[in-house]
Amino acid sequence: MTEQLGFGEVLRAHRRAARLTLEQLAESSGVGVRTLSDMERGRSKGPQQGTVTAVVNALALDEDARRHLIELARDGRLRDHWARPSGLCELPPTVEDFTGRSAELVWMSQLVYVESAPGVGMVGLVTGSAGLGKTSFAVRAAHSVRPSFPGGVFFVDLFGMSQRPAAAGDALRLLLRALGVADQNIPGDVQERAVLYRSLLRDRRALVVLDNATSEEQVRPLLPGGGAGRVLITTRRLLAGLEGVRRLALGPLSLPDSTTLLAGIVGERRASDQEPSMVRLAELCGGLPLALRIIGNRLTSRPDWDPAELAARLESEESRLGQFKAGDLKIANAFGMSYEQLPSAARRMFRRLAVIPGRDFDAVLTAVAGGMPIGDTWEALDDLVDLGLLQDSSAGRYRLHDLVRLFARDRLQEEETPAEREAATATVTSWLLRMTTMAGRWFEPGFGRPVQPDPDLTVLADERDADRWLRSHVDNWTGALRAAADNGRHAAVLDCAESMHWFSDRWIHGSHWREVFTLGAQAAACLGDLAQQATQLNYLAWVHGQPPTDHTAALRCAAEARDLATRSGATEQVVWAYLYAAHALRLLGRLDEATESAARATELTHSLKDAHIAYTCATNLGLCLRDAGRPAEALEQYHRALALVNDEASGMTPSIAAHLRPYTLAHIGQCQELLGRSAEAVASLSEATDLMEHFDPNYLQAGALERLAVLLAEEGRRDESRRIYAQAARVNAAIGDTEAHDRCHSLATAVP
């Protein structure tokens, strides 16, 4: 069978190969004998997709033969469109339940009324990925401005995603006929047609909608040369080569608009549908109008279906993509048309994106997943962005829409062997864990810059580089940590979790620390390493002590850590367990027990000769004494802690000392305030808050700022107090403390 054969000849060959008569095929497919005969004889060159689908299902064709026959039918419909003498480019009807896009419709009105420079055509370009409703938007927008175009509104489908996109010359011929040019007066040369077309649009207040464009070459002859006419183009591609066009990148609908659209499609059922189920369905559609249309149509066509039940089906990622189909609408087909436009290397890389954990990623991680040089990776990423399969950002990060990610995974499972998939996943997981461990060790005493870094890892120049990498890739490396734990790679998980100890102090409010150190503790338990298990449990006790706090859980972790550390002879971890227990007990109001636990930790510290542990013991005991109403004794502990921070010979690394100094000064200032030494307190708190400006916002910084604002107000320094209250409000907002934010914001404006 060759590509020159037409749809009817290919269909007849398949029927005969299946040893079926026309009557037998009609009975098994539900398609009439006459219709089948017309298709085979070439009288119906482009039957509708539903008819073709029924026939190929009845013939039980393999995937390649099925796709080939469907494409022949689609090409036949395309040729029929261009040959139809009555095709006058009439604008299609708009959908009744069109929802949202208010800002985009304003953009369209500006395109209509803004005057262009002499000789410059006014062209609007609407771009976006598959399923975003570009055509629906363009049609609705064209209908809304139709009264402004007495010269007519014309619509041409350029079939950009077809294997045979419309030629510019054919589109010009159709448009010229629609503009009133007789067939015999249409030039044969494409350039001459373009000149005539531009001359007609120059003096005619008309709007031409060019839907589904594929390239700059296709649309350039169809652009106006200035004057009254306007052109609106929709395309999945960016068409970056077009100059002087007004661009609109269409994005997903908001959740409220998505829910409204879904309810509008469902129609009469809306009142009886449970709102939470409808909202959840809208969420799972990811703001794609096509996905919402499919789900809405499924509910409408099956009145007995419960939206909650359908939402439950969609929760499973394994089967979710397959649920997005209704009749001849299928979300995977929309993505597949873009996928087929990619070069083979870009298709391979797109599939491999499915093994990257996390919602976004950068080019380096993409190169690791794709097994490609970075130069080839950039080229493939550009192809994916150009076709709307991938979203990029100014920060150099890329993101797949949730449904596109599922499509990538589907292609990976279909087109690569289990061994290839497992190898790709293992490569990405290993690279992320090694990279994370190396980055985390920049902050550990005794590590810092690696002496012999793995040659395949990204080079990190300094701590700031390491900090930036860990924050921007957090979803990637926590996902890899999870995957490694599931696959029993306990040593790698433990190394990675341990490397996060010092860095976690710099990112106190990171929501991922509970999982990281839980996985670390579980890995240590699987390895039978009691000392490391105690260490990870102590880290977990620290996590439970940070907002949102769970002091009971912190006590439980500290007690278990102390038991394991005692059994394994890990004195250092016994000390930390006492310290974390003291912190939890103090915040639970059990001050005597807290002071006793902190004092016990201090006693054990003398044998360790570790500056950081000694520092923590002093500050922890200081907090207990302060809260117990003994600020003078607490101040002694804080001065002892500050001496350790300032002593270059203490053994504390300079970066850790710089991190701890402002917090120590803040504690000193608070004790000075309690002792009535206001001027000293203002000086200590001012120095502390100045040093904290470059830190991540945290509750210690917020508390220090608020105390400083109070003292400044008491001294009559009202302008400074207002400024510090406003700063405290911003920090509280950043850490999610709404009550403290509102209080500080109110005081910032209320100080007389």
Side-chain angles (χ1 to χ4, degrees):
M1 217 176 292
T2 66
E3 294 184 356
Q4 285 72 34
L5 295 178
F7 171 78
E9 296 166 299
V10 174
L11 174 59
R12 184 185 299 112
H14 282 308
R15 177 176 63 80
R16 289 175 174 172
R19 298 181 180 278
L20 294 174
T21 65
L22 279 172
E23 290 75 11
Q24 289 171 325
L25 180 56
E27 183 178 354
S28 59
S29 66
V31 178
V33 173
R34 180 180 290 277
T35 301
L36 289 170
S37 177
D38 286 344
M39 288 192 291
E40 287 192 1
R41 292 173 181 272
R43 294 174 181 171
S44 175
K45 296 183 176 64
Q48 294 304 305
Q49 184 170 334
T51 302
V52 180
T53 300
V55 172
V56 296
N57 287 341
L59 290 169
L61 300 180
D62 62 37
E63 190 60 33
D64 289 340
R66 178 190 182 95
R67 185 184 300 112
H68 182 229
L69 195 60
I70 290 173
E71 287 172 355
L72 286 174
R74 184 166 58 239
D75 289 344
R77 290 194 297 275
L78 174 60
R79 288 192 298 273
D80 184 58
H81 171 80
W82 293 110
R84 194 179 305 130
S86 59
L88 295 177
C89 305
E90 177 59 30
L91 186 65
T94 187
V95 290
E96 183 180 357
D97 46 39
F98 184 90
T99 303
R101 307 297 193 196
S102 55
E104 292 86 347
L105 290 170
V106 170
W107 173 89
M108 181 63 190
S109 66
Q110 293 171 343
L111 178 73
V112 173
Y113 297 112
V114 171
E115 291 296 328
S116 61
V120 177
M122 186 59 71
V123 179
L125 182 68
V126 180
T127 61
S129 62
L132 280 173
K134 297 180 295 297
T135 300
S136 294
F137 166 73
V139 170
R140 169 53 68 95
H143 276 289
S144 69
V145 299
R146 192 164 200 161
S148 301
F149 292 101
V153 175
F154 306 98
F155 180 92
V156 178
D157 188 346
L158 297 178
F159 295 93
M161 290 296 106
S162 166
Q163 290 188 341
R164 296 171 58 183
D170 291 337
L172 281 168
R173 184 175 185 276
L174 192 63
L175 283 165
L176 288 171
R177 293 175 65 198
L179 289 165
V181 180
D183 284 352
Q184 62 270 25
N185 295 329
I186 296 176
D189 180 73
V190 173
Q191 291 303 319
E192 291 180 2
R193 289 182 185 180
V195 170
L196 177 58
Y197 166 74
R198 287 195 296 271
S199 69
L200 292 172
L201 283 187
R202 185 176 58 247
D203 300 318
R204 184 166 178 165
R205 186 71 175 171
L207 171 65
V208 176
V209 179
L210 302 174
D211 187 45
N212 198 8
T214 187
S215 67
E216 294 91 340
E217 181 184 13
Q218 184 190 41
V219 298
R220 274 202 175 97
L222 306 174
L223 303 182
R230 300 285 190 267
V231 168
L232 179 66
I233 305 169
T234 73
T235 175
R236 295 189 189 185
R237 295 185 178 275
L238 296 178
L239 302 191
L242 292 182
E243 59 282 338
V245 299
R246 292 175 172 258
R247 294 177 177 271
L248 173 66
L250 217 58
L253 293 174
S254 67
L255 182 57
D257 282 345
S258 296
T259 307
T260 300
L261 175 57
L262 184 58
I265 296 169
V266 172
E268 294 179 359
R269 291 189 46 167
R270 175 171 26 180
S272 61
D273 283 331
Q274 298 177 6
E275 183 67 17
S277 299
M278 295 293 283
V279 172
R280 184 56 185 149
L281 283 171
E283 285 178 335
L284 291 165
C285 290
L288 291 187
L290 176 58
L292 292 159
R293 175 77 51 196
I294 290 171
I295 294 303
N297 286 357
R298 293 192 73 182
L299 287 172
T300 303
S301 61
R302 295 168 175 82
D304 295 332
W305 271 24
D306 180 4
E309 182 182 342
L310 182 55
R313 291 190 194 181
L314 293 175
E315 292 290 351
S316 170
E317 286 194 353
E318 295 298 324
S319 59
R320 185 181 303 165
L321 197 66
Q323 295 292 327
F324 283 96
K325 60 181 178 181
D328 61 354
L329 290 177
K330 190 175 182 181
I331 197 78
N333 289 345
F335 300 148
M337 294 176 74
S338 295
Y339 179 71
E340 292 300 327
Q341 300 282 322
L342 293 169
S344 59
R347 286 201 299 271
R348 180 177 182 271
M349 194 189 75
F350 173 74
R351 298 191 299 268
R352 295 292 182 88
L353 293 178
V355 306
I356 297 179
R359 291 181 59 83
D360 60 8
F361 40 85
D362 64 5
V364 174
L365 184 51
T366 303
V368 172
M372 298 168 62
I374 191 65
D376 294 343
T377 298
W378 283 116
E379 186 174 341
L381 285 168
D382 284 345
D383 287 336
L384 293 175
V385 171
D386 186 51
L387 274 165
L389 286 170
L390 199 59
Q391 305 160 32
D392 62 350
S393 71
S394 57
R397 306 285 291 178
Y398 297 85
R399 173 173 291 193
L400 289 170
H401 186 280
D402 288 345
L403 293 178
V404 177
R405 179 183 292 279
L406 293 178
F407 175 74
R409 189 175 68 181
D410 181 67
R411 291 298 86 214
L412 182 69
Q413 292 173 342
E414 288 291 327
E415 299 180 35
E416 300 201 25
T417 66
E420 289 171 329
R421 298 197 299 268
E422 290 172 10
T425 302
T427 297
V428 169
T429 301
S430 172
W431 188 90
L432 280 168
L433 290 186
R434 289 183 291 116
M435 188 70 205
T436 304
T437 303
M438 180 189 73
R441 284 178 174 159
W442 267 97
F443 306 96
E444 288 191 55
F447 281 91
R449 186 189 301 274
V451 178
Q452 291 182 320
D454 289 353
D456 64 323
L457 298 182
T458 299
V459 175
L460 300 174
D462 50 31
E463 285 186 357
R464 281 186 296 181
D465 242 11
D467 184 292
R468 189 162 42 244
W469 190 92
L470 287 167
R471 290 173 191 264
S472 63
H473 290 77
V474 61
D475 286 346
N476 305 131
W477 61 259
T478 52
L481 197 67
R482 203 176 300 125
D486 290 341
N487 290 326
R489 297 185 57 192
H490 306 307
V493 170
L494 182 57
D495 282 349
C496 187
E498 176 60 30
S499 74
M500 291 295 102
H501 170 214
W502 290 91
F503 176 66
S504 63
D505 271 343
R506 293 170 173 259
W507 194 1
I508 292 175
H509 294 281
S511 60
H512 47 282
W513 295 129
R514 187 166 302 186
E515 181 181 22
V516 169
F517 296 131
T518 296
L519 291 173
Q522 291 170 350
C526 290
L527 293 168
D529 190 332
L530 299 185
Q532 274 297 331
Q533 190 179 356
T535 301
Q536 298 296 313
L537 285 167
N538 271 327
Y539 298 160
L540 265 180
W542 170 82
V543 172
H544 288 302
Q546 311 306 318
T549 57
D550 185 345
H551 301 308
T552 302
L555 281 175
R556 185 172 61 251
C557 289
E560 188 177 352
R562 186 169 66 247
D563 176 61
L564 291 168
T566 301
R567 287 160 53 193
S568 61
T571 305
E572 181 178 324
Q573 293 309 316
V574 174
V575 172
W576 283 113
Y578 274 120
L579 288 173
Y580 290 127
H583 179 76
L585 288 164
R586 179 178 66 84
L587 293 174
L588 286 169
R590 296 157 61 177
L591 292 177
D592 290 343
E593 295 173 82
T595 304
E596 182 182 349
S597 186
R600 180 62 180 143
T602 303
E603 291 171 12
L604 292 171
T605 301
H606 299 312
S607 64
L608 296 176
K609 302 188 184 305
D610 184 301
H612 184 252
I613 294 180
Y615 168 89
T616 309
C617 284
T619 55
N620 208 312
L621 184 55
L623 285 169
C624 294
L625 292 168
R626 185 199 68 187
D627 287 3
R630 299 155 64 181
E633 295 173 70
L635 188 58
E636 290 179 16
Q637 295 296 327
Y638 289 128
H639 279 305
R640 186 173 293 118
L642 187 61
L644 286 167
V645 167
N646 291 334
D647 183 3
E648 294 181 1
S650 69
M652 191 177 291
T653 62
S655 62
I656 293 172
H659 185 73
L660 296 177
R661 184 175 290 108
Y663 297 127
T664 314
L665 288 167
H667 289 310
I668 287 173
Q670 290 165 3
C671 286
Q672 289 167 334
E673 179 188 0
L674 291 171
L675 291 167
R677 294 152 57 176
S678 296
E680 294 176 58
V682 167
S684 297
L685 289 170
S686 295
E687 184 180 357
T689 53
D690 286 345
L691 291 171
M692 290 181 192
E693 281 189 3
H694 303 295
F695 288 9
D696 256 9
N698 60 72
Y699 70 97
L700 292 173
Q701 181 186 13
L705 286 166
E706 190 166 358
R707 293 316 309 159
L708 177 58
V710 169
L711 291 171
L712 290 170
E714 290 175 353
E715 290 188 356
R717 297 159 66 176
R718 297 186 181 92
D719 288 343
E720 293 175 79
S721 181
R722 290 190 193 96
R723 177 176 59 81
I724 298 300
Y725 268 129
Q727 190 176 345
R730 289 193 293 272
V731 172
N732 280 309
I735 64 177
D737 192 334
T738 305
E739 181 181 348
H741 165 268
D742 293 345
R743 179 179 64 249
C744 291
H745 179 73
S746 175
L747 289 167
T749 57
V751 175

